[in-house]
Structures are given as structure tokens and as C-alpha cells.
């Protein structure tokens, strides 16, 4: 019980640390590359940027106010745990933005808006994706995307892209320049792409087939750390004619190294097959996201 509690605390600390890194990455992309080049980003930061350019309102004030409203909605739909980490992310991003705007006067690629769009979007998208992967969010349209993703199997990047087209387009009314809008669309697409790449890489799963005379010991160790279950399958070797036991194990890709280390420590001569799987759903993995069919809606 004590070990489980300690693991839970460790995971929570890891989540908050990775969200911190993600938010700093986002702020770097936003304040160093995008804002100095008058390039609109997505979500609430995009709205804050437009208001800053048009009315001179500091971006951190607009960002914080709008997120406070959206978080009140998310608290009811997504629960306290999500909102706590999102509040933390919003706080870190607000403070980091104020710090970079007031203390770190570094503006890169000011005369190269296209490259600034690409590099700034990579920083922003990677930061958002990292935050999503560890149960956090930058708030804004990320909250909207997370609510939709909770009930529908639609990628987070695609939802954000659909939500933010209007925000990007609104920058035209400030600059009256379609070129700036196009750069905003480039940022939007690259950000969405990076979000999906980071999130999907963190969620990748693998499956193992393990044949070993010491299958019980291997399964017991894997059950303790990385805390993955194992299914024992009765198998028959065609060539040898022997009855064997085969373990079937599903795990996250990042846990593969631990599993191989356990197998090698217990039975270096074990026969092991590892392969990638497209999706794993159930306890310890992703949840099913299915909407009600048209037939079910009509019947209801």
C-alpha cells in the first residue's frame, strides 16, 4: 500500500514537472518568435495577441481572465483533477509570459516571419502536446478540445485547428494584411501537427509474446514494475513437440526497456517477440470514445 502511494505521488510530481517544461516551451515560442513578428497563434493566446496589437492590453491579463471563465466550465465537465493541473499550467504560463516579456528581451528571426512561424509553432505545439500527455492543458481552446476528445475519438490537434481558424482570421481586422493571416495559418497547422506527434508518441503501446520456463517469475516481476498484467497461454511447439507456456503482455512503449531488463535478468534464453499495436483500450490504457449512433439517437 505504501509503495502504491509513493508511486502515485511520484507520478503526480512528474506530471507537474513535465507540464512546467511544456509551458516554458510554449512561452518561448510565443514571446521570442511569434509576438515580435506580429504572428497570431492559436487559442486564448491568439485572442490575447490580437487585443495586445489592437488595444495595447498586456497579453498575460487577457490570457488569465479568459481562462478563468473556461476553467469554471471545465470544472463541471472534466473534474477537479484536470482543472487543478490546468490552473497550474495557466499560472505557470502567465508568470512565464510576464517574465519573458519584461525581463528577457530576446526576439529572434524578426525579419524572417516564415521561419519564425515554423520554429515558434514547433515550440508551442510541442509544449501543448507535452502538457496534454501528462494530464494538463494550457487552457483556452485546449479545454474545448479536451472536452470533445473525452466523448469523441477525434485527435486533439484537429479539434484545436477547427476551433482556432476564426481566431487566426480575426488578426486581419488589426493588421489589414493577408500575409500575416497566412503566417497565422502556418502556425496553426504546424502546432496541430506537433501536438498530435507528441501526444501519440507518449501513448504508443507494444505487445509482447514471451516463451520461457520461468514464465511465473517473469510475470510476477512485470506485475510489480511496470505494473502490467500478463496472460498465460498454453502453447505447443510444433518442431520440438513440447508443451510450453507463453506470456501475452501489453505495455506502453516507454516501458519496453524495463520489461526486456526483467526478462534478461530472469531468463536470458527466453524467446521474446515484441510488436507495435495501433490502439489499446481498457484499464491502464486509453478509454473507449464512442458517440451515440444515428439509429440510437432516433430510437431514444
Amino acid at each position: 500500500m505504501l509503495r502504491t502511494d509513493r508511486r502515485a505521488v511520484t507520478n503526480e510530481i512528474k506530471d507537474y514537472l513535465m507540464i512546467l517544461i511544456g509551458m516554458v516551451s510554449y512561452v518561448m515560442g510565443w514571446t521570442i518568435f511569434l509576438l515580435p513578428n506580429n504572428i497570431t497563434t492559436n487559442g486564448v493566446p491568439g485572442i490575447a495577441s490580437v487585443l495586445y496589437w489592437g488595444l495595447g492590453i498586456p497579453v498575460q491579463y487577457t490570457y488569465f481572465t479568459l481562462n478563468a471563465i473556461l476553467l469554471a466550465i471545465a470544472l463541471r465537465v472534466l473534474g477537479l483533477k484536470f482543472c487543478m493541473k490546468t490552473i497550474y499550467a495557466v499560472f505557470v504560463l502567465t508568470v512565464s509570459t510576464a517574465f519573458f516579456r519584461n525581463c528577457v528581451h530576446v526576439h529572434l528571426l524578426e525579419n524572417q516571419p516564415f521561419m519564425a512561424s515554423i520554429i515558434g509553432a514547433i515550440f508551442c505545439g510541442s509544449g501543448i502536446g507535452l502538457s496534454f500527455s501528462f494530464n494538463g492543458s494550457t487552457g483556452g481552446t485546449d479545454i474545448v478540445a479536451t472536452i470533445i476528445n473525452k466523448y469523441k475519438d477525434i485527435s486533439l490537434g484537429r479539434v484545436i485547428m477547427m476551433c482556432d481558424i476564426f481566431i487566426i482570421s480575426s488578426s486581419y481586422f488589426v493588421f489589414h494584411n493577408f500575409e500575416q493571416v497566412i503566417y497565422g495559418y502556418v502556425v496553426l497547422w504546424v502546432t496541430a501537427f506537433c501536438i498530435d506527434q507528441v501526444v501519440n508518441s507518449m501513448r504508443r503501446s507494444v505487445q509482447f509474446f514471451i516463451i520461457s520456463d520461468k514464465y511465473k517469475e517473469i510475470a510476477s516481476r512485470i506485475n510489480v514494475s511496470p505494473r502490467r498484467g500478463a496472460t498465460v497461454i498454453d502453447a505447443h511447439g510444433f518442431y520440438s513437440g513440447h508443451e510450453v507456456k507463453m506470456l501475452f503482455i501489453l505495455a506502453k512503449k516507454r516501458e519496453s526497456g524495463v520489461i526486456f531488463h526483467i526478462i534478461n535478468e530472469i531468463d536470458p534464453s527466453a524467446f521474446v517477440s515484441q510488436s507495435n499495436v495501433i490502439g489499446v483500450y481498457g484499464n491502464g490504457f486509453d478509454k473507449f470514445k464512442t458517440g451515440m449512433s444515428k439509429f440510437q439517437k432516433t430510437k431514444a
Side-chain angles (χ1 to χ4, degrees), residues 13-77:
I13 294 174
K14 182 180 179 181
D15 284 355
Y16 282 98
L17 178 62
M18 298 309 292
I19 291 171
L20 172 64
I21 295 173
M23 293 302 94
V24 172
S25 173
Y26 186 94
V27 170
M28 289 175 64
W30 186 23
T31 60
I32 294 177
F33 296 97
L34 300 181
L35 273 178
N37 287 282
N38 295 333
I39 300 172
T40 311
T41 185
N42 62 312
V44 171
I47 298 173
S49 299
V50 172
L51 292 178
Y52 169 71
W53 294 319
L55 302 175
I57 302 173
V59 289
Q60 59 267 28
Y61 297 158
T62 304
Y63 176 81
F64 186 82
T65 302
L66 292 178
N67 272 299
I69 298 171
L70 288 168
L71 281 168
I73 299 172
L75 181 63
R76 179 176 180 83
V77 178

Side-chain angles (χ1 to χ4, degrees), residues 215-234:
Y215 68 94
K216 289 184 178 179
E217 189 175 349
I218 293 173
S220 298
R221 286 281 300 278
I222 292 175
N223 186 249
V224 173
S225 177
R227 294 184 62 81
R228 294 297 177 189
T231 301
V232 181
I233 302 173
D234 293 322

